[in-house]
Amino acid sequence: MTTLNEYLGQKREAIAARKARVAAGESGPRTLTARVRAEGRSGVRRIRIRDFQVISDSEADFAGYDLGPSSPELQLGVLGSCLTHTFLIQAAALGVPLDSLDLEVTGTIDPRAGSPGFEAVPIYPHGIRYAASIASPAAPAEIEALRQAVERNCPILNLLRQPQAIAGEIRLTQAPAAVAAE
């Protein structure tokens, strides 16, 4: 049976190499960028990050074509990915063996939010929970220490728990004026 433990050895080596680069002053802050373009005929959102593309869409009841997950669904997926990766990082750092790791993130979104009678219902995903299913020979106390380390160090979990101020701007490009009917 293939387990995660061989990979955790590789992760330990990568963590040590990264810490060495930081200590040597060879690594510092970097800007992360995601670009999103709405398709003209469908409204599908193409998310481009580095050389990767993800498609986001709405369900049919919100004028979408269901060609990809919605933004709230992607947010839960991003949280799940970050939590899973942080479990791997912390298991490697702490020497906690993992045979397998599966993680599920759930949340509620209500399309009635903000409507008359539902003004108090959040318009964003809420009641967010995660459940990590771990197979490991480690003692329960080691797994609890792992969970605590994950919750201290997971960037997206902590971003959602302690949100940042987000600045916005509009960069208006004037479209050619429509030709008036004569």
Side-chain angles (χ1 to χ4, degrees), residues 164-172:
Q164 300 288 314
I166 300 174
E169 69 178 276
I170 301 292
R171 298 175 186 158
L172 180 61

Side-chain angles (χ1 to χ4, degrees), residues 3-9 12 87-88 90-101 133-140 142-143 146:
T3 69
L4 287 171
N5 292 310
E6 183 178 326
Y7 174 73
L8 292 179
R12 258 187 298 285
F87 265 101
L88 295 173
Q90 295 304 315
L94 298 172
V96 176
L98 298 179
D99 294 332
S100 67
L101 169 63
S133 298
I134 296 173
S136 173
E142 290 177 284
I143 298 299
L146 173 61

Side-chain angles (χ1 to χ4, degrees), residues 95-181:
V96 176
L98 298 179
D99 294 332
S100 67
L101 169 63
D102 292 292
L103 197 129
E104 180 179 73
V105 179
T106 59
T108 300
I109 194 156
D110 191 334
R112 302 171 299 177
S115 299
F118 297 93
E119 295 87 356
V121 175
I123 61 169
Y124 49 84
H126 55 282
I128 297 173
R129 300 182 54 83
Y130 78 87
S133 298
I134 296 173
S136 173
E142 290 177 284
I143 298 299
E144 177 57 23
L146 173 61
R147 183 193 66 78
Q148 289 177 13
V150 166
E151 291 196 0
R152 250 189 335 272
N153 291 288
C154 180
I156 301 301
L157 177 66
N158 286 293
L159 171 68
L160 293 172
R161 286 182 170 168
Q162 300 172 11
Q164 300 288 314
I166 300 174
E169 69 178 276
I170 301 292
R171 298 175 186 158
L172 180 61
T173 304
Q174 293 295 332
V179 176

